[in-house]
Amino acid sequence: MDELVTRLSNAAHIDRAKASAAVKTILVFLDKEAPADAINELVDAMSGARPVLDEGKAESAGAPGYPGFGAMAAYHALTAAGLSGGEVQVVTKELLAYSRETVGEETTGRIVGAVPGLEAFV
């Protein structure tokens, strides 16, 4: 997961803490929205991601959701984590590129296809 955090930090020109928060936010969001087997494949392929996802799920348990649905809800979650609109775009595109490189086009396509509006970031 360090590799992904570094990649996002460099691509979006954000510090590692913000990049790490973005990964956690996206993983928690996708865990709720995308097919469980596809998300599990992605998380299992990312060294150190399972504890981050579990921590994020625990932190968000019982918290109200974000306005909108699909990619718009993820956008609101990421801006609440401190990212600007431009940073959200870069981070999301990079994470999806990383997903394609790590688990392949088919699994990434299933994730993207399950979240309305996410295809705009591919």
Side-chain angles (χ1 to χ4, degrees):
M1 189 157 126
D2 279 343
E3 174 188 339
L4 177 59
V5 169
T6 298
R7 180 174 172 166
L8 298 182
S9 177
N10 291 338
H13 306 289
I14 57 178
D15 63 37
R16 289 185 56 77
K18 196 183 270 189
S20 183
V23 171
K24 182 190 297 185
T25 300
I26 292 170
L27 289 178
V28 169
F29 175 78
L30 291 176
D31 186 66
K32 293 177 186 174
E33 300 292 325
D37 62 325
I39 293 305
N40 284 328
E41 185 178 341
L42 176 60
V43 170
D44 290 344
M46 296 168 58
S47 177
R50 181 66 60 190
V52 170
L53 173 60
D54 291 343
E55 178 183 312
K57 286 167 51 173
E59 290 171 359
S60 67
Y66 291 95
F69 67 94
M72 188 52 89
Y75 176 85
H76 288 294
L78 288 166
T79 57
L83 278 73
S84 71
E87 292 167 344
V88 169
Q89 287 185 312
V90 172
V91 164
T92 304
K93 284 182 181 184
E94 284 296 320
L95 191 136
L96 291 174
Y98 178 85
S99 177
R100 283 192 301 278
E101 295 163 13
T102 305
V103 296
E105 192 67 48
E106 181 180 336
T107 299
T108 302
R110 291 181 55 234
I111 292 168
V112 170
V115 181
L118 192 55
E119 68 278 353
F121 292 95
V122 176

